[in-house]
Amino acid sequence: MSIIKTATLQLSVSEDKRANLKRLSDFMDKPELSGADLITVGEMFSCPYDTLRFPEYAEPMGGESFLYLSELSEKHGVYLSAGSIPERGEDGKIYNTAYVFGRDGKCIAAHRKMHLFDVNIKGGQYFKESDTLSPGNSVTVFDTEFGKMGLCICFDFRFPELSRLMALKGARLIIVPGAFNMTSGPAHWELLFRARAMDNQLFTLGTSPARNEKASYVAYGHSICCDPWGKTIFRMDEKEGICLAEIDLDYADEIRSQLPLLSARRDDVYSLSEIK
């Protein structure tokens, strides 16, 4: 089995955590999502993207939101890439954490954002996640009935080494909950997803929150999916909505056999290894 039916949910985000979770539930109940195998949502979909407020919304793994998301995936019998939410770790630190739940509701992947978004772009965006967040340190690849998939969060995706490590671990699809802003989004969002897909000869799937011009941080939107040839399969607009797509993961193997980038690497000259 290689064809996976995806449903990308680009959702509006309010300050009410429970209302945001209920919004996801309502969307998952929509008839057009019947038959979906994988549902994805955006980064920090359950709370405002506001650094200083992340501790206010943070929950431990296994907390209220975690259990709610687990129940949703089991209820609908789908893989749920539940965007990301603020996690309060056992060490007391706050992380930006993405969870993936299997069809049975069990958590099959948890990724803590590795690269914190600390930027000061002249004439554009200033943001400093490290004011309240701590970085994770794991490359995240997980198994499904369709094959291996990779998972990272937004700014992580800018670092080509991470995507290459996921590809070398067998990922044929990389899922990226993200929230690019109105400075970086128009410049780099589609370019980045096409480049990572082309370089690693896999599918890339990025899910953003919908744009809210009144928010303290304005997300770009434009959730996107690209194929192993670097072609854009779909790109949404900035508004709340759903995009359905079928992805044939075997196409990654086909492209890799025709244009053997991964197998032609010169490991005798250069190499990339995961260091713990």
Side-chain angles (χ1 to χ4, degrees):
M1 181 183 298
S2 65
I3 298 178
I4 182 169
K5 298 178 180 179
T6 67
T8 299
L9 307 187
Q10 185 166 283
L11 303 179
S12 298
V13 179
S14 73
E15 295 190 357
D16 187 329
K17 179 195 302 184
R18 290 181 176 174
N20 292 324
L21 291 169
K22 179 62 164 56
R23 192 170 198 82
L24 171 58
S25 177
D26 290 343
F27 265 75
M28 289 179 66
D29 282 336
K30 290 181 179 291
E32 56 263 45
L33 268 64
S34 176
D37 298 302
L38 169 67
I39 294 175
T40 66
V41 294
E43 182 181 19
M44 292 298 185
F45 81 96
S46 66
C47 69
Y49 198 83
D50 185 332
T51 300
L52 297 180
R53 298 191 67 184
F54 290 153
E56 172 188 341
Y57 288 89
E59 301 177 17
M61 182 183 295
E64 177 185 1
S65 296
F66 181 98
L67 294 175
Y68 189 94
L69 296 166
S70 170
E71 290 171 1
L72 280 180
S73 65
E74 182 178 20
K75 172 186 173 183
H76 293 277
V78 298
Y79 290 96
L80 174 60
S81 174
S84 75
I85 62 176
E87 177 208 352
R88 188 177 301 277
E90 294 181 353
D91 54 8
K93 296 178 180 179
I94 308 299
Y95 300 93
N96 182 346
T97 302
Y99 299 113
V100 178
F101 298 90
R103 295 185 188 274
D104 58 0
K106 293 181 180 178
C107 182
I108 59 174
H111 176 81
R112 288 172 170 171
K113 192 174 188 178
M114 297 174 63
H115 304 88
L116 298 184
F117 187 56
D118 289 2
V119 299
N120 187 6
I121 301 172
K122 185 176 181 180
Q125 186 73 41
Y126 171 83
F127 206 81
K128 195 172 182 182
E129 283 188 326
S130 64
D131 283 342
T132 55
L133 296 178
S134 295
N137 58 9
S138 296
V139 179
T140 306
V141 173
F142 59 96
D143 289 305
T144 74
E145 69 210 64
F146 304 95
K148 293 183 182 294
M149 301 181 186
L151 177 68
C152 65
I153 302 173
C154 202
F155 198 50
D156 283 340
F157 204 46
R158 284 190 175 272
F159 298 85
E161 299 89 348
L162 179 56
S163 294
R164 176 52 55 89
L165 283 169
M166 287 188 277
L168 294 178
K169 286 174 172 283
R172 295 188 295 170
L173 166 65
I174 296 178
I175 300 169
V176 189
F180 273 38
N181 56 63
M182 295 304 296
T183 301
S184 61
H188 299 150
W189 177 257
E190 183 169 3
L191 175 65
L192 186 59
F193 278 87
R194 292 185 64 193
R196 293 289 173 270
M198 179 188 67
D199 286 346
N200 295 291
Q201 300 180 308
L202 43 65
F203 290 89
T204 57
L205 177 57
T207 310
S208 170
R211 189 181 304 173
N212 178 1
E213 300 285 357
K214 297 180 180 179
S216 60
Y217 180 96
V218 181
Y220 178 57
H222 293 276
S223 296
I224 191 170
C225 183
C226 299
D227 76 11
W229 192 248
K231 177 183 176 182
T232 299
I233 297 173
F234 71 77
R235 174 175 165 171
M236 299 175 69
D237 59 20
E238 76 282 4
K239 298 183 286 294
E240 185 173 67
I242 299 170
C243 191
L244 306 176
E246 290 191 1
I247 296 173
D248 186 353
L249 296 183
D250 280 351
Y251 185 53
D253 300 329
E254 180 182 330
I255 293 298
R256 290 173 181 180
S257 67
Q258 294 176 17
L259 185 65
L261 301 183
L262 296 181
S263 61
R265 291 179 309 113
R266 287 289 304 275
D267 284 339
D268 59 321
V269 178
Y270 54 81
S271 63
L272 179 64
S273 61
E274 183 180 359
I275 300 174
K276 291 292 187 180

